[in-house]
Amino acid sequence: MAESATIDREAGRSDLQPAQVDQQEAKKAPSQILRQEVHEGVAALERSTVGLFVPGLSAGLDIGFSLFLMAIMLTRAEGALPKLAEEILIANMYAVGFIFVVIGRSELFTEQTTLAVLPVLRGRATIGSLLRLWVIVYVANLIGGAVCATLVTWIGPNLGVIEPHAFGTIAHRLTDHTGMTIFLGAVLAGWLMGLLSWLVAAGRDTISQLVLVWLITFCIGFAYLPHVVLGSVEVLAGALAKQSIGMADVGRFLLSATLGNIVGGSVFVALIKYSHARPEGVA
């Protein structure tokens, strides 16, 4: 019976066209994705302070290009295009910085709210090491973002490609809400960023990964969901451009968005994906 079943499976496989076989083999099982994510998470947790801080700083700097391009697009499209077309174009610009960061393999805090949690769930890392990574990457991201916000708010208007009010428009979309609304929106953003990490691990090539990064971050930008790293750049730029954004607004946004992103990535992706992707009987 066992031989017969094996022959049947092989016969069924032989009936498939080569392209169908390749397509089946290209798909990763959830357990494979989990193993890859745990491996990458452990590698990140074991890196030195400098080894985390420098790519974290790079991510904060690179992601600021999203703000730069969004503000240019808003300046040029405002009044010249229908509102929906303008928002779609701006959401595409929102995705650019994330493509630079994720495909370039820099360290982004919101990716680590999922990636670095999985080794802890698997028992291969401690909560202390997780918190250490979060603090280093978070601080590095914010420093890089603050530097980029300063450069963009000076360079853009002086080049004549950005009107200062564009920074205010972008910032107010994030801050003109209650703390609870920002928190819950940030949960969704963290959830989507956790899915981004999971889906990128499932991708087999750079093109598919690039499309996934664009798709997920376009959704975040189009819905104005609060992403703490890029959001900090957007809100700080609004304050630096003196567009009725105060440092209290910046602080309130950072607190609510940080907590929401952590909950979204850690609970709705790391915990749930781990629960269904781990092999049966494995803790």
Side-chain angles (χ1 to χ4, degrees), residues 107-125:
E107 292 290 350
L108 193 61
F109 172 73
T110 46
E111 278 194 285
Q112 295 297 347
T113 58
T114 294
L115 188 64
V117 172
L118 293 170
V120 176
L121 295 175
R122 199 64 178 262
R124 294 185 59 184

Side-chain angles (χ1 to χ4, degrees), residues 127-205:
I127 292 178
S129 64
L130 172 64
L131 293 177
R132 168 186 169 271
L133 180 147
W134 277 359
V135 169
I136 295 170
V137 174
Y138 181 80
V139 171
N141 284 174
L142 293 188
I143 292 174
V147 171
C148 194
T150 303
L151 290 172
V152 167
T153 52
W154 188 87
I155 292 172
N158 280 282
L159 286 176
V161 294
I162 298 175
E163 292 292 336
H165 78 270
F167 296 121
T169 300
I170 293 169
H172 279 291
R173 287 172 177 171
L174 295 175
T175 59
D176 290 354
H177 307 286
T178 65
M180 181 56 69
T181 299
I182 296 173
F183 169 78
L184 293 175
V187 170
L188 294 179
W191 189 341
L192 285 168
M193 287 302 299
L195 284 175
L196 185 153
S197 176
W198 188 267
L199 293 173
V200 165
R204 290 279 184 171
D205 55 72

Side-chain angles (χ1 to χ4, degrees), residues 58-112:
S58 175
L61 291 166
D62 293 346
I63 207 168
F65 278 102
S66 286
L67 172 65
F68 185 58
L69 296 173
M70 288 166 65
I72 291 174
M73 185 61 70
L74 180 60
T75 298
R76 295 188 173 181
E78 196 170 32
L81 294 173
K83 187 67 175 176
L84 179 58
E86 175 189 312
E87 292 185 353
I88 290 173
L89 289 172
I90 291 173
N92 276 284
M93 297 302 99
Y94 185 94
V96 172
F98 288 96
I99 292 172
F100 293 163
V101 170
V102 177
I103 301 301
R105 309 300 293 173
S106 298
E107 292 290 350
L108 193 61
F109 172 73
T110 46
E111 278 194 285
Q112 295 297 347

